[in-house]
Structure formats: C-alpha cells, structure tokens
Amino acid sequence: MVRPLNYPLEPHIRRHGPQGYTSHTSCQPWLRDEFAFRCIYCLTREQWFIKEGIFQTDHFVPQSISPEDRLNYDNLLYACVRCNEAKKNLLVPDPCEVAIHAYLHVDADGVIYAAHSNAERLIEILRLNSRSLVRYRRQIIKTMRLLENHNHALFVEWMKYPDDLPDLARLRPPFGNTRPTGIWQSYFAQREHGELPETY
Ligand SMILES: [Zn+2]
C-alpha cells in the first residue's frame, strides 16, 4: 500500500554530485531528483502543488554559518517554503540521517512521533506537529485512502511522479559530476526504461 506521508526507510545516501554551478537554479533539477520531488522535512510533494514558489533550495549548514558552502551540492537540500522558513538560520539535525521511517512515524491522524532524540529536535525546530500541519497531513492521509479505494485514476494523479522529470544526462555541470552513475538511477532514466513505479 502506498502511503503518502511515510518517511524513507533508510538514511538518504546522495546519488548525484554536480560541481561548479554558480546558482541554485542550476542545482534544482538535481535536487528535485535527489529528494524524489518532495520536501526532505515534511514530505510535501510537488505533485500536490504548483511547484513554483513552493519548493526551495535549503542549506543544511546555513549560509550565515558557512557562506563557502552556499553552492556546495552536498550541503543543499530540497525543501518546501514552510520548512525552509521555519529552519531559518538554525543548525538542525541532519535530515538525511534522521528523517527516516525508523525515527519518524506518521500516524493515521497526521501526528508525527519521534523514536530518536535528534528526530524529536527536528520536529520541534521545524514545528512539524503544529496544529495546521497535523490537520493538513490528516486530510491528505484520509483523502488518499479514500481515492485509493474508490477512484484509482485520481489516486494515481496525486501519488505519481511529476510529468516533468529532469533529464539529468543532458546537463553539463561546469566541474563535472562526482557521482555520475546516479544519472542512470534517476527517475527520468527509470521512466525511459519502463521501470518507474506508477505511484510512490
Ligand atoms: Zn516541508
């Protein structure tokens, strides 16, 4: 069963490593694919919004603390505006390590429970259990469950990968790519090979 708001099972291991870009815009196609088109913190998906203006590049180590890492790909995350603004210039536990299913569990009512002190800190700092966010999650969970059982086509529309998957093989980062094999695991490549799941 596809669950709309379940955190990944495992810690995130980077698949891409573009080097030498001078703008965040150039990093965005890589980050979208890297983080499966959803916010690393709250799991909000591009497919649920018009993504322009909703998704941003987040600096794991804030620019105020480490300006030299402003365009270091390994310091960049894909996040929604709400989470990015809640984080501000704070140093938070690494979401690639703690935003996983073993540490963060979303119950049927949309409340997130933490099984690790760092995951708990992440919830607190980003206010992931604010009343409005819990209500939003509850609505998403209940609506998707209903659609899955009664309107499969509409369920797929909400739970599929975006149509505009970035073709990373066509991109040329100025200083190359430290993880070139990741391109063949990209969602675009999976779709080309007929291996992209219908929903996720
Ligand atoms: Zn978010």
Side-chain angles (χ1 to χ4, degrees):
M1 190 166 102
V2 170
R3 294 176 189 276
L5 288 163
N6 271 20
Y7 285 91
L9 292 174
E10 307 282 343
H12 183 80
I13 295 167
R14 295 243 172 197
R15 291 181 293 128
H16 305 307
Q19 303 293 308
Y21 283 130
T22 54
S23 78
H24 291 133
T25 313
S26 304
C27 298
Q28 282 272 319
W30 302 89
L31 291 170
R32 291 178 66 215
D33 190 272
E34 181 84 55
F35 295 104
F37 314 97
R38 59 188 176 186
C39 173
I40 178 94
Y41 299 109
C42 74
L43 301 183
T44 281
R45 300 180 180 207
E46 285 184 8
Q47 196 63 7
W48 300 344
F49 294 96
I50 297 166
K51 74 172 182 298
E52 285 77 17
I54 299 287
F55 288 87
Q56 298 179 333
T57 303
D58 173 53
H59 299 82
F60 171 57
V61 179
Q63 299 182 73
S64 56
I65 296 174
S66 184
E68 64 276 17
D69 283 323
R70 195 178 80 84
L71 287 159
N72 170 6
Y73 183 77
D74 286 3
N75 188 45
L76 304 181
L77 300 163
Y78 198 53
C80 74
V81 172
R82 197 214 70 89
C83 290
N84 200 12
E85 287 182 356
K87 181 171 168 268
K88 291 199 186 87
N89 290 326
L90 300 169
L91 206 47
V92 300
D94 186 350
C96 293
E97 294 289 329
V98 302
I100 57 169
H101 190 56
Y103 294 155
L104 289 172
H105 173 69
V106 183
D107 79 358
D109 285 324
V111 179
I112 304 182
Y113 291 93
H116 188 282
S117 56
N118 278 341
E120 207 166 84
R121 272 189 60 221
L122 200 64
I123 292 176
E124 277 171 23
I125 295 170
L126 298 180
R127 301 190 302 279
L128 291 176
N129 274 334
S130 71
R131 191 186 296 189
S132 59
L133 212 44
V134 168
R135 189 180 60 223
Y136 165 74
R137 276 195 297 267
R138 187 168 56 235
Q139 285 173 344
I140 292 273
I141 291 167
K142 289 190 188 313
T143 305
M144 294 310 145
R145 189 172 296 164
L146 199 72
L147 291 181
E148 188 172 22
N149 292 323
H150 298 286
N151 190 333
H152 186 73
L154 196 52
F155 175 75
V156 170
E157 272 304 307
W158 281 82
M159 296 297 293
K160 69 179 185 178
Y161 289 90
D163 292 329
D164 64 333
L165 299 175
D167 181 2
L168 302 176
R170 297 172 74 92
L171 303 179
R172 297 283 176 272
F175 299 147
N177 179 357
T178 55
R179 302 182 184 99
T181 54
I183 287 179
W184 309 115
Q185 301 160 13
S186 70
Y187 295 102
F188 183 91
Q190 288 182 42
R191 188 172 65 189
E192 291 289 287
H193 297 128
E195 294 165 354
L196 189 71
E198 188 179 37
T199 56
Y200 73 113

